[in-house]
Amino acid sequence: MSELDGVWSVERVSGALPPLHGCVKRIYGGRGTTEFPRFPGMPFVVRGHELHYRGPFGVLVDRLEPQNGGYLGHATMLGREFGQFRLRRLDTVDQLKVQLIKYIDEAHAMEQNVLRMLDGMISTTDDPWVLDALEHHKVQTQDHADRMAQRLEAHDTAPSAVKQIGGVLGALAKLPLDFVRGEKTGRNARDAYATEHLEIASYELLRRVAQKAGDEETAEVAREIIAEEQGMAKVIEEHWDTFAELSLREEGVTV
């Protein structure tokens, strides 16, 4: 096992480095990644006390200098230093917190994406009963997003703007298809039903990670949201005949 193996928090010290809130380095067996809550991991190879980045980041090398039980890092590009950072090894409790924050952030981004999806469904729905169900669930979904943002704030962090933007762009790209595709009611019900179960699964995982991290408040919030998502899925289950009939009617088929 290398002296660098493990999970390390990264703290900006000086220079042109961006804010490093939530950044960690994971190192095992001579390889590792630098991970940000807002971006994919950046892979590197360990050579002594140097981290040589791969792929599109090949011009970057982190040089590590042992200091006070951790490391002072020198971030270099093409051999020239442009910033310094500090590495601190995370213990099991710290690692659990990092993972918990990641799960909460992903749940918040998911809810933002669902809000955009619901907007698309509402704009393409004519049936008053279906419209009322979608608008009611949109209110619930906004509350879920707000509660996840509050749990992030409780851990001294904020929602990932990049993940939110990605969700918005994905939903906007989907909207033109929502307007032109046939059988809108049935397909909307199908998409909503699948989405509810994705959300349920995500919150089941979040609840368990929160429990392991000792965050009972987040675990309880996840339990309450799961119950509401299950309720919406149940509403859809109980009205499949209605959705099928409305879809056929939209296509001019009388049964």
Short mmCIF file of all heavy atoms in Angstrom, two decimals, residues 73-131:
data_model
loop_
_atom_site.label_atom_id
_atom_site.label_comp_id
_atom_site.label_asym_id
_atom_site.label_seq_id
_atom_site.Cartn_x
_atom_site.Cartn_y
_atom_site.Cartn_z
N GLY A 73 0.41 20.78 -1.90
CA GLY A 73 0.44 20.47 -3.32
C GLY A 73 0.78 21.68 -4.16
O GLY A 73 0.33 22.80 -3.89
N HIS A 74 1.59 21.44 -5.19
CA HIS A 74 1.93 22.49 -6.15
C HIS A 74 1.33 22.10 -7.49
O HIS A 74 1.76 21.13 -8.12
CB HIS A 74 3.46 22.62 -6.27
CG HIS A 74 4.13 22.90 -4.95
ND1 HIS A 74 4.40 24.18 -4.50
CD2 HIS A 74 4.58 22.06 -3.97
CE1 HIS A 74 4.99 24.12 -3.33
NE2 HIS A 74 5.11 22.83 -2.97
N ALA A 75 0.31 22.85 -7.93
CA ALA A 75 -0.35 22.56 -9.21
C ALA A 75 0.46 23.21 -10.33
O ALA A 75 0.72 24.42 -10.30
CB ALA A 75 -1.77 23.11 -9.20
N THR A 76 0.87 22.39 -11.30
CA THR A 76 1.69 22.92 -12.39
C THR A 76 1.06 22.61 -13.75
O THR A 76 0.35 21.62 -13.92
CB THR A 76 3.11 22.33 -12.36
OG1 THR A 76 3.06 20.93 -12.72
CG2 THR A 76 3.74 22.47 -10.98
N MET A 77 1.35 23.48 -14.70
CA MET A 77 0.94 23.28 -16.09
C MET A 77 2.16 23.49 -16.97
O MET A 77 2.79 24.55 -16.93
CB MET A 77 -0.17 24.27 -16.49
CG MET A 77 -0.60 24.15 -17.96
SD MET A 77 -1.84 25.39 -18.43
CE MET A 77 -3.20 24.86 -17.42
N LEU A 78 2.51 22.45 -17.73
CA LEU A 78 3.71 22.48 -18.58
C LEU A 78 4.94 22.87 -17.77
O LEU A 78 5.81 23.61 -18.23
CB LEU A 78 3.51 23.46 -19.74
CG LEU A 78 2.37 23.09 -20.73
CD1 LEU A 78 2.19 24.20 -21.75
CD2 LEU A 78 2.68 21.77 -21.42
N GLY A 79 4.98 22.37 -16.52
CA GLY A 79 6.14 22.59 -15.66
C GLY A 79 6.13 23.87 -14.87
O GLY A 79 7.01 24.09 -14.04
N ARG A 80 5.13 24.74 -15.07
CA ARG A 80 5.07 26.02 -14.36
C ARG A 80 3.97 25.99 -13.30
O ARG A 80 2.84 25.63 -13.59
CB ARG A 80 4.84 27.16 -15.34
CG ARG A 80 5.93 27.29 -16.40
CD ARG A 80 5.75 28.55 -17.22
NE ARG A 80 5.90 29.75 -16.41
CZ ARG A 80 5.84 30.99 -16.89
NH1 ARG A 80 5.63 31.18 -18.20
NH2 ARG A 80 5.98 32.03 -16.11
N GLU A 81 4.33 26.39 -12.09
CA GLU A 81 3.36 26.38 -10.99
C GLU A 81 2.35 27.51 -11.15
O GLU A 81 2.71 28.65 -11.45
CB GLU A 81 4.09 26.52 -9.65
CG GLU A 81 3.15 26.48 -8.45
CD GLU A 81 3.90 26.47 -7.13
OE1 GLU A 81 4.91 25.73 -7.00
OE2 GLU A 81 3.46 27.20 -6.21
N PHE A 82 1.04 27.17 -10.94
CA PHE A 82 0.02 28.22 -11.02
C PHE A 82 -0.87 28.26 -9.78
O PHE A 82 -1.80 29.08 -9.70
CB PHE A 82 -0.85 28.04 -12.26
CG PHE A 82 -1.65 26.76 -12.30
CD1 PHE A 82 -2.93 26.70 -11.75
CD2 PHE A 82 -1.13 25.61 -12.86
CE1 PHE A 82 -3.67 25.53 -11.78
CE2 PHE A 82 -1.86 24.42 -12.90
CZ PHE A 82 -3.14 24.39 -12.36
N GLY A 83 -0.59 27.39 -8.80
CA GLY A 83 -1.36 27.42 -7.58
C GLY A 83 -0.90 26.39 -6.58
O GLY A 83 -0.14 25.46 -6.92
N GLN A 84 -1.32 26.57 -5.33
CA GLN A 84 -0.99 25.63 -4.27
C GLN A 84 -2.26 25.18 -3.55
O GLN A 84 -3.23 25.94 -3.45
CB GLN A 84 -0.02 26.26 -3.27
CG GLN A 84 1.35 26.59 -3.85
CD GLN A 84 2.31 27.12 -2.80
OE1 GLN A 84 1.97 27.23 -1.62
NE2 GLN A 84 3.53 27.44 -3.22
N PHE A 85 -2.22 23.94 -3.05
CA PHE A 85 -3.35 23.39 -2.31
C PHE A 85 -2.83 22.51 -1.19
O PHE A 85 -1.66 22.14 -1.15
CB PHE A 85 -4.27 22.59 -3.24
CG PHE A 85 -3.56 21.45 -3.96
CD1 PHE A 85 -3.48 20.19 -3.39
CD2 PHE A 85 -2.98 21.66 -5.20
CE1 PHE A 85 -2.84 19.15 -4.04
CE2 PHE A 85 -2.33 20.63 -5.86
CZ PHE A 85 -2.26 19.37 -5.29
N ARG A 86 -3.72 22.17 -0.27
CA ARG A 86 -3.34 21.33 0.87
C ARG A 86 -4.18 20.06 0.84
O ARG A 86 -5.38 20.10 0.59
CB ARG A 86 -3.55 22.09 2.18
CG ARG A 86 -3.06 21.35 3.42
CD ARG A 86 -3.08 22.25 4.65
NE ARG A 86 -2.06 23.30 4.57
CZ ARG A 86 -2.32 24.59 4.36
NH1 ARG A 86 -3.56 24.99 4.20
NH2 ARG A 86 -1.34 25.46 4.31
N LEU A 87 -3.53 18.91 1.11
CA LEU A 87 -4.22 17.63 1.17
C LEU A 87 -4.32 17.17 2.62
O LEU A 87 -3.33 17.21 3.36
CB LEU A 87 -3.47 16.56 0.38
CG LEU A 87 -3.40 16.70 -1.15
CD1 LEU A 87 -2.73 15.47 -1.75
CD2 LEU A 87 -4.77 16.90 -1.75
N ARG A 88 -5.51 16.72 3.01
CA ARG A 88 -5.74 16.14 4.34
C ARG A 88 -6.45 14.81 4.16
O ARG A 88 -7.48 14.73 3.51
CB ARG A 88 -6.58 17.07 5.21
CG ARG A 88 -6.85 16.54 6.61
CD ARG A 88 -7.64 17.54 7.43
NE ARG A 88 -8.97 17.77 6.87
CZ ARG A 88 -10.03 17.01 7.14
NH1 ARG A 88 -9.91 15.96 7.94
NH2 ARG A 88 -11.20 17.30 6.62
N ARG A 89 -5.88 13.74 4.75
CA ARG A 89 -6.48 12.43 4.60
C ARG A 89 -7.81 12.38 5.35
O ARG A 89 -7.91 12.81 6.50
CB ARG A 89 -5.55 11.34 5.15
CG ARG A 89 -6.02 9.92 4.81
CD ARG A 89 -5.17 8.89 5.53
NE ARG A 89 -3.78 8.92 5.14
CZ ARG A 89 -3.26 8.28 4.10
NH1 ARG A 89 -4.05 7.54 3.33
NH2 ARG A 89 -1.98 8.35 3.82
N LEU A 90 -8.83 11.86 4.68
CA LEU A 90 -10.15 11.75 5.29
C LEU A 90 -10.29 10.42 6.02
O LEU A 90 -9.90 9.38 5.49
CB LEU A 90 -11.24 11.84 4.22
CG LEU A 90 -11.34 13.16 3.45
CD1 LEU A 90 -12.44 13.07 2.41
CD2 LEU A 90 -11.58 14.34 4.38
N ASP A 91 -10.86 10.47 7.24
CA ASP A 91 -11.16 9.22 7.94
C ASP A 91 -12.52 8.70 7.46
O ASP A 91 -13.17 9.29 6.60
CB ASP A 91 -11.12 9.42 9.45
CG ASP A 91 -12.12 10.47 9.94
OD1 ASP A 91 -13.10 10.77 9.22
OD2 ASP A 91 -11.92 10.99 11.05
N THR A 92 -12.97 7.59 8.02
CA THR A 92 -14.21 6.97 7.56
C THR A 92 -15.40 7.91 7.72
O THR A 92 -16.26 8.00 6.83
CB THR A 92 -14.48 5.67 8.35
OG1 THR A 92 -13.39 4.77 8.15
CG2 THR A 92 -15.75 5.01 7.88
N VAL A 93 -15.47 8.64 8.84
CA VAL A 93 -16.58 9.57 9.06
C VAL A 93 -16.58 10.66 8.01
O VAL A 93 -17.62 11.00 7.44
CB VAL A 93 -16.50 10.18 10.48
CG1 VAL A 93 -17.56 11.27 10.65
CG2 VAL A 93 -16.68 9.10 11.53
N ASP A 94 -15.41 11.21 7.72
CA ASP A 94 -15.30 12.25 6.70
C ASP A 94 -15.72 11.73 5.33
O ASP A 94 -16.40 12.41 4.56
CB ASP A 94 -13.87 12.78 6.62
CG ASP A 94 -13.48 13.60 7.84
OD1 ASP A 94 -14.38 14.21 8.44
OD2 ASP A 94 -12.29 13.61 8.19
N GLN A 95 -15.29 10.51 5.00
CA GLN A 95 -15.63 9.94 3.70
C GLN A 95 -17.14 9.71 3.57
O GLN A 95 -17.71 9.94 2.50
CB GLN A 95 -14.88 8.62 3.49
CG GLN A 95 -13.37 8.79 3.34
CD GLN A 95 -12.68 7.48 3.07
OE1 GLN A 95 -13.10 6.70 2.23
NE2 GLN A 95 -11.60 7.22 3.79
N LEU A 96 -17.76 9.28 4.66
CA LEU A 96 -19.22 9.11 4.64
C LEU A 96 -19.91 10.45 4.38
O LEU A 96 -20.88 10.51 3.62
CB LEU A 96 -19.70 8.52 5.96
CG LEU A 96 -19.66 7.01 6.09
CD1 LEU A 96 -19.98 6.59 7.52
CD2 LEU A 96 -20.64 6.35 5.12
N LYS A 97 -19.41 11.50 4.98
CA LYS A 97 -20.01 12.82 4.78
C LYS A 97 -19.86 13.27 3.34
O LYS A 97 -20.81 13.82 2.75
CB LYS A 97 -19.37 13.86 5.72
CG LYS A 97 -20.01 15.24 5.58
CD LYS A 97 -19.43 16.24 6.56
CE LYS A 97 -20.09 17.60 6.36
NZ LYS A 97 -19.56 18.61 7.30
N VAL A 98 -18.70 13.02 2.74
CA VAL A 98 -18.49 13.39 1.34
C VAL A 98 -19.50 12.66 0.46
O VAL A 98 -20.12 13.25 -0.44
CB VAL A 98 -17.05 13.06 0.90
CG1 VAL A 98 -16.91 13.15 -0.62
CG2 VAL A 98 -16.06 14.01 1.57
N GLN A 99 -19.68 11.36 0.71
CA GLN A 99 -20.62 10.59 -0.10
C GLN A 99 -22.06 11.04 0.14
O GLN A 99 -22.86 11.10 -0.80
CB GLN A 99 -20.47 9.10 0.21
CG GLN A 99 -19.17 8.50 -0.27
CD GLN A 99 -18.98 8.68 -1.77
OE1 GLN A 99 -19.84 8.33 -2.58
NE2 GLN A 99 -17.84 9.24 -2.15
N LEU A 100 -22.39 11.36 1.38
CA LEU A 100 -23.74 11.82 1.68
C LEU A 100 -24.05 13.11 0.94
O LEU A 100 -25.13 13.24 0.34
CB LEU A 100 -23.89 12.03 3.19
CG LEU A 100 -25.23 12.64 3.65
CD1 LEU A 100 -26.40 11.76 3.22
CD2 LEU A 100 -25.22 12.86 5.15
N ILE A 101 -23.13 14.05 0.97
CA ILE A 101 -23.34 15.32 0.27
C ILE A 101 -23.51 15.07 -1.23
O ILE A 101 -24.36 15.69 -1.88
CB ILE A 101 -22.16 16.28 0.54
CG1 ILE A 101 -22.20 16.75 1.99
CG2 ILE A 101 -22.20 17.47 -0.41
CD1 ILE A 101 -20.98 17.54 2.42
N LYS A 102 -22.76 14.14 -1.77
CA LYS A 102 -22.89 13.79 -3.18
C LYS A 102 -24.29 13.27 -3.49
O LYS A 102 -24.92 13.67 -4.48
CB LYS A 102 -21.84 12.74 -3.55
CG LYS A 102 -21.92 12.23 -4.98
CD LYS A 102 -20.86 11.17 -5.21
CE LYS A 102 -21.00 10.54 -6.60
NZ LYS A 102 -19.98 9.47 -6.82
N TYR A 103 -24.82 12.38 -2.64
CA TYR A 103 -26.16 11.82 -2.85
C TYR A 103 -27.23 12.90 -2.72
O TYR A 103 -28.21 12.91 -3.49
CB TYR A 103 -26.43 10.69 -1.85
CG TYR A 103 -25.95 9.34 -2.32
CD1 TYR A 103 -24.63 8.94 -2.13
CD2 TYR A 103 -26.81 8.45 -2.94
CE1 TYR A 103 -24.18 7.69 -2.56
CE2 TYR A 103 -26.39 7.20 -3.36
CZ TYR A 103 -25.06 6.83 -3.17
OH TYR A 103 -24.64 5.60 -3.60
N ILE A 104 -27.09 13.80 -1.74
CA ILE A 104 -28.08 14.87 -1.58
C ILE A 104 -28.06 15.79 -2.80
O ILE A 104 -29.11 16.19 -3.32
CB ILE A 104 -27.80 15.68 -0.30
CG1 ILE A 104 -27.91 14.80 0.95
CG2 ILE A 104 -28.78 16.85 -0.19
CD1 ILE A 104 -27.47 15.49 2.23
N ASP A 105 -26.86 16.12 -3.26
CA ASP A 105 -26.72 17.00 -4.41
C ASP A 105 -27.35 16.38 -5.65
O ASP A 105 -28.04 17.05 -6.43
CB ASP A 105 -25.23 17.30 -4.65
CG ASP A 105 -25.02 18.41 -5.67
OD1 ASP A 105 -25.80 19.37 -5.68
OD2 ASP A 105 -24.07 18.31 -6.46
N GLU A 106 -27.13 15.08 -5.84
CA GLU A 106 -27.72 14.39 -6.99
C GLU A 106 -29.25 14.35 -6.89
O GLU A 106 -29.94 14.49 -7.90
CB GLU A 106 -27.15 12.98 -7.09
CG GLU A 106 -25.69 12.94 -7.54
CD GLU A 106 -25.10 11.55 -7.54
OE1 GLU A 106 -25.76 10.63 -7.00
OE2 GLU A 106 -23.98 11.39 -8.06
N ALA A 107 -29.77 14.19 -5.67
CA ALA A 107 -31.23 14.19 -5.48
C ALA A 107 -31.80 15.57 -5.80
O ALA A 107 -32.86 15.68 -6.44
CB ALA A 107 -31.58 13.80 -4.05
N HIS A 108 -31.11 16.61 -5.40
CA HIS A 108 -31.57 17.97 -5.70
C HIS A 108 -31.58 18.21 -7.21
O HIS A 108 -32.55 18.75 -7.75
CB HIS A 108 -30.67 19.00 -5.01
CG HIS A 108 -31.10 20.41 -5.25
ND1 HIS A 108 -30.63 21.15 -6.31
CD2 HIS A 108 -31.98 21.21 -4.60
CE1 HIS A 108 -31.18 22.35 -6.29
NE2 HIS A 108 -32.00 22.41 -5.26
N ALA A 109 -30.51 17.79 -7.89
CA ALA A 109 -30.45 17.95 -9.35
C ALA A 109 -31.55 17.15 -10.03
O ALA A 109 -32.16 17.61 -11.01
CB ALA A 109 -29.08 17.52 -9.86
N MET A 110 -31.83 15.96 -9.52
CA MET A 110 -32.89 15.12 -10.07
C MET A 110 -34.23 15.84 -9.97
O MET A 110 -35.02 15.85 -10.93
CB MET A 110 -32.94 13.79 -9.33
CG MET A 110 -34.09 12.88 -9.73
SD MET A 110 -34.08 11.34 -8.78
CE MET A 110 -34.42 11.97 -7.11
N GLU A 111 -34.52 16.44 -8.81
CA GLU A 111 -35.79 17.13 -8.62
C GLU A 111 -35.91 18.33 -9.55
O GLU A 111 -36.98 18.63 -10.08
CB GLU A 111 -35.95 17.57 -7.17
CG GLU A 111 -36.02 16.44 -6.16
CD GLU A 111 -37.29 15.60 -6.27
OE1 GLU A 111 -38.08 15.82 -7.21
OE2 GLU A 111 -37.50 14.73 -5.41
N GLN A 112 -34.80 19.03 -9.78
CA GLN A 112 -34.82 20.15 -10.72
C GLN A 112 -35.17 19.67 -12.12
O GLN A 112 -35.92 20.31 -12.86
CB GLN A 112 -33.46 20.87 -10.73
CG GLN A 112 -33.12 21.59 -9.44
CD GLN A 112 -34.03 22.78 -9.19
OE1 GLN A 112 -34.44 23.46 -10.12
NE2 GLN A 112 -34.35 23.03 -7.93
N ASN A 113 -34.61 18.53 -12.48
CA ASN A 113 -34.90 17.95 -13.80
C ASN A 113 -36.36 17.53 -13.90
O ASN A 113 -37.02 17.74 -14.94
CB ASN A 113 -33.98 16.76 -14.05
CG ASN A 113 -33.87 16.42 -15.52
OD1 ASN A 113 -34.16 17.23 -16.39
ND2 ASN A 113 -33.43 15.21 -15.81
N VAL A 114 -36.89 16.94 -12.83
CA VAL A 114 -38.29 16.51 -12.82
C VAL A 114 -39.22 17.72 -12.94
O VAL A 114 -40.25 17.67 -13.61
CB VAL A 114 -38.61 15.70 -11.55
CG1 VAL A 114 -40.11 15.43 -11.45
CG2 VAL A 114 -37.85 14.38 -11.56
N LEU A 115 -38.86 18.83 -12.30
CA LEU A 115 -39.67 20.05 -12.42
C LEU A 115 -39.78 20.48 -13.88
O LEU A 115 -40.86 20.85 -14.35
CB LEU A 115 -39.05 21.18 -11.59
CG LEU A 115 -39.32 21.14 -10.09
CD1 LEU A 115 -38.45 22.17 -9.37
CD2 LEU A 115 -40.80 21.38 -9.79
N ARG A 116 -38.65 20.44 -14.60
CA ARG A 116 -38.69 20.82 -16.02
C ARG A 116 -39.54 19.83 -16.81
O ARG A 116 -40.27 20.21 -17.72
CB ARG A 116 -37.28 20.87 -16.58
CG ARG A 116 -36.28 21.75 -15.85
CD ARG A 116 -36.55 23.23 -15.97
NE ARG A 116 -37.56 23.72 -15.05
CZ ARG A 116 -37.32 23.93 -13.75
NH1 ARG A 116 -36.14 23.67 -13.22
NH2 ARG A 116 -38.26 24.41 -12.98
N MET A 117 -39.42 18.55 -16.47
CA MET A 117 -40.19 17.53 -17.17
C MET A 117 -41.69 17.73 -16.92
O MET A 117 -42.51 17.62 -17.84
CB MET A 117 -39.78 16.14 -16.70
CG MET A 117 -40.46 15.01 -17.47
SD MET A 117 -40.10 13.38 -16.78
CE MET A 117 -41.16 13.42 -15.33
N LEU A 118 -42.06 18.05 -15.68
CA LEU A 118 -43.46 18.29 -15.36
C LEU A 118 -44.00 19.51 -16.10
O LEU A 118 -45.15 19.52 -16.54
CB LEU A 118 -43.62 18.47 -13.85
CG LEU A 118 -43.50 17.20 -13.01
CD1 LEU A 118 -43.44 17.54 -11.52
CD2 LEU A 118 -44.65 16.24 -13.28
N ASP A 119 -43.16 20.54 -16.24
CA ASP A 119 -43.57 21.70 -17.02
C ASP A 119 -43.93 21.29 -18.45
O ASP A 119 -44.93 21.75 -19.02
CB ASP A 119 -42.46 22.75 -17.06
CG ASP A 119 -42.37 23.56 -15.77
OD1 ASP A 119 -43.37 23.61 -15.04
OD2 ASP A 119 -41.30 24.12 -15.50
N GLY A 120 -43.10 20.41 -19.05
CA GLY A 120 -43.38 19.93 -20.40
C GLY A 120 -44.66 19.13 -20.45
O GLY A 120 -45.46 19.28 -21.38
N MET A 121 -44.88 18.27 -19.45
CA MET A 121 -46.10 17.46 -19.43
C MET A 121 -47.33 18.34 -19.27
O MET A 121 -48.36 18.13 -19.92
CB MET A 121 -46.02 16.45 -18.28
CG MET A 121 -45.02 15.33 -18.51
SD MET A 121 -45.01 14.19 -17.11
CE MET A 121 -43.93 12.91 -17.77
N ILE A 122 -47.25 19.32 -18.36
CA ILE A 122 -48.39 20.20 -18.12
C ILE A 122 -48.75 20.98 -19.38
O ILE A 122 -49.93 21.16 -19.71
CB ILE A 122 -48.09 21.16 -16.94
CG1 ILE A 122 -48.07 20.37 -15.62
CG2 ILE A 122 -49.08 22.30 -16.88
CD1 ILE A 122 -47.53 21.14 -14.44
N SER A 123 -47.73 21.41 -20.12
CA SER A 123 -47.98 22.21 -21.32
C SER A 123 -48.59 21.39 -22.45
O SER A 123 -49.12 21.95 -23.41
CB SER A 123 -46.68 22.86 -21.79
OG SER A 123 -45.76 21.89 -22.25
N THR A 124 -48.51 20.06 -22.37
CA THR A 124 -49.04 19.21 -23.44
C THR A 124 -50.24 18.38 -22.98
O THR A 124 -50.63 17.43 -23.65
CB THR A 124 -47.95 18.26 -23.97
OG1 THR A 124 -47.46 17.45 -22.90
CG2 THR A 124 -46.79 19.04 -24.58
N THR A 125 -50.82 18.73 -21.82
CA THR A 125 -51.94 17.97 -21.28
C THR A 125 -53.21 18.82 -21.32
O THR A 125 -53.22 19.97 -20.88
CB THR A 125 -51.65 17.55 -19.82
OG1 THR A 125 -50.51 16.69 -19.80
CG2 THR A 125 -52.83 16.81 -19.22
N ASP A 126 -54.28 18.24 -21.85
CA ASP A 126 -55.57 18.93 -21.94
C ASP A 126 -56.60 18.42 -20.94
O ASP A 126 -57.50 19.16 -20.54
CB ASP A 126 -56.15 18.78 -23.36
CG ASP A 126 -55.23 19.38 -24.42
OD1 ASP A 126 -54.67 20.46 -24.15
OD2 ASP A 126 -55.08 18.78 -25.50
N ASP A 127 -56.49 17.17 -20.53
CA ASP A 127 -57.49 16.59 -19.63
C ASP A 127 -57.41 17.26 -18.26
O ASP A 127 -56.33 17.29 -17.63
CB ASP A 127 -57.26 15.09 -19.49
CG ASP A 127 -58.32 14.45 -18.62
OD1 ASP A 127 -59.41 14.17 -19.14
OD2 ASP A 127 -58.04 14.23 -17.42
N PRO A 128 -58.53 17.80 -17.75
CA PRO A 128 -58.52 18.53 -16.47
C PRO A 128 -58.04 17.68 -15.30
O PRO A 128 -57.30 18.17 -14.44
CB PRO A 128 -59.99 18.95 -16.29
CG PRO A 128 -60.55 18.96 -17.67
CD PRO A 128 -59.85 17.85 -18.39
N TRP A 129 -58.46 16.40 -15.24
CA TRP A 129 -58.06 15.56 -14.10
C TRP A 129 -56.57 15.30 -14.12
O TRP A 129 -55.89 15.41 -13.10
CB TRP A 129 -58.82 14.23 -14.14
CG TRP A 129 -58.42 13.35 -13.00
CD1 TRP A 129 -58.93 13.34 -11.75
CD2 TRP A 129 -57.38 12.36 -13.02
NE1 TRP A 129 -58.29 12.42 -10.97
CE2 TRP A 129 -57.33 11.80 -11.73
CE3 TRP A 129 -56.50 11.90 -14.00
CZ2 TRP A 129 -56.42 10.80 -11.39
CZ3 TRP A 129 -55.60 10.91 -13.66
CH2 TRP A 129 -55.57 10.37 -12.37
N VAL A 130 -56.03 14.96 -15.28
CA VAL A 130 -54.59 14.70 -15.40
C VAL A 130 -53.81 15.97 -15.10
O VAL A 130 -52.79 15.94 -14.40
CB VAL A 130 -54.25 14.17 -16.81
CG1 VAL A 130 -52.74 13.99 -16.95
CG2 VAL A 130 -54.97 12.86 -17.08
N LEU A 131 -54.29 17.10 -15.61
CA LEU A 131 -53.61 18.37 -15.38
C LEU A 131 -53.55 18.70 -13.90
O LEU A 131 -52.51 19.13 -13.39
CB LEU A 131 -54.34 19.48 -16.15
CG LEU A 131 -53.66 20.84 -16.20
CD1 LEU A 131 -52.30 20.73 -16.89
CD2 LEU A 131 -54.54 21.85 -16.93
#
